[in-house]
Structure formats: structure tokens, C-alpha cells
Amino acid sequence: MSISKSFFSTCIVVLLGVPLSAQTISSRLVDAKTQKGIPYATLQYGEQLGVITNEEGRFSFVLEEATLDSIYITSMGYGKKGFTLEQLQDTLLQLDPKAIELSGVYVFDKELEVEDIIEKMIENIPNNVNKTPVKQRFFLRKAELANMEKVDFGFEKSSIKELNKELMDSISRSIPRNASHYTESFGDLYKHNTDYKVNIIKAADLYDKREVGSFEDMAEHMEDIFVQNVKPGSYLKIKSGIFSEKIQVDSILDTMDDERIDQMKKVKAQMEKDSVSGLVDSQRWQFKELLGQLYFQEDSKLDLVDKTRRYDFKLSGYAEMGDAGVYVVDFWPRRSSADFKGRLYINIEDFAVMRLDFTNTQRLRNFRLLGITYRENVYKGTMRFAKLPNGRYDLQFMELADGKYFGVDRPLKVVEKNKHVKGRRKQNELKLNIDFRMNITSKWELVVFNQDEIAQNDFNNFTEDKTVRATYMPRYNPEFWEGYTIMEPNQAIRGFTAEEE
């Protein structure tokens, strides 16, 4: 190893506070009866330190052996259990199911009706939600999955020899039917209310570069055909159904001359240069969008707080989360205008929401007009909150899934006309019947391992390092995150492979 690499590795160890004697603990948490993985369980190994199991029950974290002799694992529907360091070496850890208590567990001065509990929950949001500056050590994973149900250009006619049925079928075949893109980042989020700054320590980008290249090659090929066949002074008449648009060809050709091409190359080079800082900007935007969907935010799609009257509530029982007792409250739409059902876990003492599980009961959007279809089919997730030393609550874990459908089933006719040539004005014609359908699913998993309250000046003075790049990986590398505490990847990510040619 070179001197520079050795120095860099040493700096990383010092910055992360991970001693050279650190030990990585990896295992899988399962139901003692069914042996199925327990998703999103909490493993606590310090006052403000913890990790979350993934959707398969797998977990991994880094610790210094001398600082820990046991951990405690909790998951709703299971009994809290402690494990020694020796037991953590097992490949499987088991939790026994525990039913939610219906009554007789907690003693109250006055029994509250479920409507009173919800009213107090909403009333205490300003006191319970943390808005002071914090520094949160996080791991964020985003998965984007695209499935092309159908890609058919429906070739009917073309007067341009190169724009034939074979080319259209070839383009259709070249479009990937299934594509996936995973991004993972580890670092610190500096947060003050809705202002965010990000310190990215390490990041990974998993996708198939060939898919991007195929689209670029296809666009260049189509552009060459267009330039070689259309005449200066022409205009294009584009018609789709009842809609028609006239476009002057010269304005298009002007953008394809040598000078413009050189400019485009310069812009592309600048974009590649800017992509260095793009990671930090992109991550900050991701946090803004993701945290903007918390149940108490004004623009959240989950309208439980703003439109409480649209929902029915039921007190289903009582449970424990950590050392706190919680009301277990189910909710569902009272009428069709409400979109969600789920379960709230509300702290008995201060009425703070400690956990919220939800899923949509109907499409959030359903647009269909003139052969264009857009649907928001899936919107579901989990939010968990932890109490800070200041007595307020901040996000500890969030899982969010968003599914959309987009389709186009329309005729398309493109006619080139030119009034400056002898003979008929119509020069070329292309007729298609486009049938395009796709599903897009996005999923975010955000884990906050520990959070520290910081002074306002510390937040103001922190400057983002925009030189950090994500490491491109054509296939998943389990050694990439060695020495880091993250949420373990699921089977789809572990099996991701996109061998480059």
C-alpha cells in the first residue's frame, strides 16, 4: 500500500472514531416460532447508539469489544430480550412473540377515550417534535426499480428508409424491461428544523452503465438520421390524436451545427465536473423530500394530523417501546376521501408519537386522458422516533415506499413539409401507434444511529465538503462497507450484478 493510501486510511479511522480493534457483529433476527426474519427491529447497544434490522431481519454493526457485554433487542409484537456478546456470534438470534396487552397493564388516574388520546397527541406536537439543532449519524439507502410492462412503437409507415420497422423494433428491444439503481450513503446530517447540511463520509452507487449508454447511443443515431434526411426550410407537423404542433426544422438544425455541438460537449464536461458536488446536493435534496413526509409536516401526503375527522380510530391495547408505555391506536378511513390506514404508538405520559405504520387504501392519484395514464398506486412506510436529552423527539428510523404507473397509448404522426421546394410540400412522413407502459417503485431506508444536540453556531459554521464522490459499483461488494455500521442489504442488492463490457 502506498504512503498516501496509508495516510488516508489512518485519517478515516481517526475521523470515524473506529478503533483498529473494532469488531463487526453480523447476524439474523428471527421469530422463534416461524423462523422468519423480523424486519426493522431495534438493537440498542448504548444510550444513544443502535441499529435496525433490514426487511429480512439481518443486521450488522461495529463495536469495540471492551465497551459492551450485551445488547437489547426490541420489536413490536415481541418480548424485549438481551443477548450477550458471545450469543451475538450465532448466525441466528430468536425472539419470542408477545401479544399486545388489551388491558390491566397500566394504572391511570383517568381512562382516556381514543378521541382524547388523538386530540392530546396533536395538541402536544409542538412540545414533542424537536426543532433544535442536532447532528445525526445516518445511513441512507434508496432503491429505484423500473419495470417496463410493454414497449411497442406500433410502426405503420415511414418514407425515410432508415426509419423502418426493423429500427423501431430494435429500439424497443434495446430498452431494458427491468432496471434497478441503488444508492447508499453514510455520514452526518446537520439539521435545524427544516434546514439541512450533509457531511458524506462514504457513498456507493450501484447501477448498470450499459443501460445509460444504450439510451445515449440510440439518441445519437436518431439525431444522425434526422440531420441527413430533413431539408433546410422545412417544418415538422406533429400530430397525436386531436393535437397538432408545427415546428420549424431550421430551429432544430441550428442546435446541431458544429458550434452548438462544441458547446454541448463543454456543457457535458462541466456537468461531469459538477457531479463531484452533485452527490452532496442530491443527498441534501433527498433529506428535504424524505423528512418533508413526516406525519407532522404541512406538505406530507399522510394527512392524518390535518384531516383527523376523515379517519376512525380504535384503541387496540397497550405495549412497551424501550422503557416507555404506549397506546396502540389503529386508524382507517371514515370515508372514501381519506387515503390511509395504519397504527400509531403513542407515549402514555407525553402523548408523543413513537412509531407510525401506514399504507394507502386507494390510489393517491389516478389520471387518465386521451391515451395517457398516470397512477400513484403505492405509498406506505414506517416512522420511528427517539427521545433526546432535551425531552423532545427526533427521527430514528424511516422506511418509505412509493409506487407509480405511467402509460401512453396514442397514435403519433410526424410529417415534414417544405414550401421552398418544387412539387408537393410533403417531403417525409412517419406514422406510429405508441403503446408504452411502465411501473416505477422507489424505496428509502433511513437509519439514525446516534444523534447529538449541537449549538446554533456549530450548525451555522459547518461547511459541506462538495468534493466527495460516490463509488460506482457494477456489482455489489460486501467488503465496501467493512468497518462501518449500516443497515444490511437485502437479497436483491446482495445479488446485484451489472458486468461491464
Side-chain angles (χ1 to χ4, degrees):
M1 181 182 290
S2 66
I3 295 176
S4 60
K5 286 187 177 180
S6 299
F7 175 76
F8 179 76
S9 300
T10 303
C11 289
I12 289 295
V13 169
V14 172
L15 287 171
L16 296 181
V18 179
L20 296 177
S21 60
Q23 180 182 5
T24 299
I25 302 296
S26 298
S27 188
R28 183 166 179 253
L29 186 66
V30 299
D31 184 298
K33 289 186 177 181
T34 67
Q35 295 300 299
K36 293 183 178 180
I38 301 176
Y40 309 131
T42 301
L43 288 80
Q44 199 75 24
Y45 57 92
E47 186 175 349
Q48 295 290 332
L49 297 174
V51 69
I52 306 291
T53 63
N54 73 359
E55 61 193 73
E56 299 167 349
R58 299 181 185 276
F59 68 89
S60 175
F61 64 93
V62 179
L63 60 87
E64 186 177 2
E65 294 185 44
T67 64
L68 181 73
D69 56 4
S70 63
I71 68 167
Y72 289 92
I73 302 180
T74 58
S75 181
M76 197 54 58
Y78 295 88
K80 182 177 180 180
K81 188 174 181 180
F83 293 88
T84 65
L85 189 59
E86 183 178 354
Q87 290 174 317
L88 293 176
Q89 310 303 317
D90 296 337
T91 56
L92 287 180
L93 303 179
Q94 302 185 65
L95 283 187
D96 295 314
K98 180 182 178 183
I100 293 175
E101 300 287 350
L102 299 179
S103 63
V105 178
Y106 299 98
V107 177
F108 303 98
D109 293 334
K110 180 183 178 181
E111 290 279 357
L112 295 177
E113 298 294 331
V114 67
E115 291 79 12
D116 298 323
I117 296 171
I118 296 300
E119 183 179 343
K120 288 182 176 294
M121 180 269 286
I122 295 174
E123 181 183 304
N124 282 277
I125 285 176
N127 298 323
N128 286 326
V129 172
N130 179 58
K131 293 185 178 181
T132 61
V134 290
K135 174 186 174 184
Q136 300 175 324
R137 174 60 55 92
F138 73 87
F139 177 77
L140 175 63
R141 174 181 291 129
K142 181 182 181 182
E144 295 176 286
L145 310 173
N147 168 251
M148 300 289 185
E149 289 187 359
K150 189 173 184 179
V151 181
D152 184 2
F153 290 102
F155 178 86
E156 286 193 6
K157 180 181 179 181
S158 174
S159 61
I160 298 176
K161 181 180 179 180
E162 291 82 0
L163 289 178
N164 51 35
K165 185 176 186 302
E166 287 72 22
L167 175 62
M168 292 300 162
D169 290 344
S170 175
I171 293 173
S172 176
R173 289 192 299 269
S174 70
I175 297 175
R177 292 309 186 261
N178 294 285
S180 53
H181 186 183
Y182 303 97
T183 55
E184 299 178 330
S185 59
F186 176 90
D188 294 314
L189 173 66
Y190 290 76
K191 181 165 71 77
H192 181 204
N193 200 4
T194 56
D195 293 330
Y196 309 105
K197 295 182 180 181
V198 183
N199 175 34
I200 303 295
I201 295 172
K202 195 171 187 180
D205 208 2
L206 288 81
Y207 65 95
D208 191 342
K209 281 187 176 180
R210 293 175 300 174
E211 295 173 356
V212 177
S214 64
F215 282 112
E216 292 178 347
D217 293 341
M218 179 181 68
E220 291 178 2
H221 184 48
M222 295 293 287
E223 181 180 307
D224 290 340
I225 293 175
F226 181 83
V227 172
Q228 293 169 11
N229 286 275
V230 299
K231 299 177 177 62
S234 294
Y235 64 89
L236 298 180
K237 190 171 184 180
I238 302 173
K239 187 174 182 181
S240 180
I242 63 174
F243 298 102
S244 181
E245 180 71 23
K246 182 177 176 180
I247 302 175
Q248 198 68 30
V249 170
D250 289 347
S251 65
I252 302 175
L253 293 176
D254 285 346
T255 66
M256 296 179 180
D257 58 24
D258 292 339
E259 183 179 352
R260 293 295 180 92
I261 291 173
D262 289 340
Q263 290 178 358
M264 289 174 65
K265 288 180 179 179
K266 291 179 181 179
V267 170
K268 186 174 182 180
Q270 184 63 42
M271 288 176 63
E272 292 176 351
K273 182 179 178 181
D274 291 343
S275 67
V276 177
S277 64
L279 173 64
V280 171
D281 293 337
S282 172
Q283 291 290 289
R284 190 188 328 102
W285 181 84
Q286 291 278 354
F287 277 110
K288 185 177 182 64
E289 291 294 305
L290 194 59
L291 300 183
Q293 294 303 312
L294 295 176
Y295 74 95
F296 53 81
Q297 297 287 11
E298 183 178 353
D299 296 329
S300 174
K301 291 183 181 180
L302 184 62
D303 55 3
L304 191 64
V305 171
D306 291 337
K307 300 175 181 177
T308 307
R309 295 183 180 276
R310 294 185 179 182
Y311 292 91
D312 283 322
F313 298 90
K314 175 187 176 183
L315 178 59
S316 296
Y318 309 88
E320 290 184 357
M321 291 192 67
D323 297 326
V326 295
Y327 296 108
V328 181
V329 178
D330 291 329
F331 63 90
W332 61 91
R334 178 175 297 174
R335 53 179 70 94
S336 60
S337 58
D339 297 320
F340 299 96
K341 67 178 181 179
R343 174 168 282 184
L344 289 155
Y345 299 85
I346 303 172
N347 190 296
I348 289 174
E349 293 186 359
D350 55 23
F351 298 94
V353 174
M354 299 190 69
R355 173 172 169 170
L356 169 59
D357 303 327
F358 67 94
T359 185
N360 61 305
T361 57
Q362 60 184 356
R363 293 169 181 162
L364 301 189
R365 293 192 65 184
N366 188 18
F367 173 85
R368 187 170 185 175
L369 182 66
L370 301 174
I372 297 176
T373 304
Y374 174 75
R375 301 173 185 149
E376 293 182 6
N377 294 326
V378 178
Y379 195 78
K380 61 181 181 179
T382 294
M383 306 172 188
R384 295 188 196 174
F385 302 88
K387 195 171 188 177
L388 303 181
N390 65 7
R392 297 178 179 241
Y393 292 79
D394 217 316
L395 188 67
Q396 182 184 47
F397 170 72
M398 185 173 183
E399 182 259 340
L400 183 64
D402 184 359
K404 296 180 173 67
Y405 171 87
F406 178 73
V408 177
D409 187 2
R410 291 178 61 85
L412 178 66
K413 182 178 179 181
V414 181
V415 179
E416 177 198 356
K417 293 187 176 183
N418 194 313
K419 60 184 179 181
H420 302 293
V421 297
K422 293 182 179 181
R424 64 175 187 171
R425 291 187 176 185
K426 184 165 76 171
Q427 303 297 303
N428 289 297
E429 182 179 7
L430 173 66
K431 290 180 68 176
L432 304 173
N433 274 306
I434 298 174
D435 191 352
F436 175 86
R437 310 170 196 174
M438 71 179 300
N439 291 288
I440 303 175
T441 301
S442 300
K443 182 177 180 180
W444 296 264
E445 293 171 310
L446 171 61
V447 186
V448 177
F449 300 111
N450 62 287
Q451 36 196 341
D452 301 313
E453 297 175 68
I454 59 175
Q456 181 66 53
N457 285 340
D458 292 334
F459 177 84
N460 295 338
N461 294 333
F462 173 75
T463 302
E464 296 174 329
D465 179 6
K466 295 193 175 184
T467 64
V468 182
R469 289 180 181 268
T471 299
Y472 169 69
M473 293 196 292
R475 56 190 174 278
Y476 178 71
N477 179 9
E479 296 180 358
F480 181 79
W481 290 111
E482 187 174 339
Y484 293 81
T485 295
I486 66 167
M487 170 175 275
E488 281 292 286
N490 60 20
Q491 181 59 46
I493 299 176
R494 294 196 301 273
F496 178 86
T497 300
E499 296 289 351
E500 293 184 285
E501 294 179 348

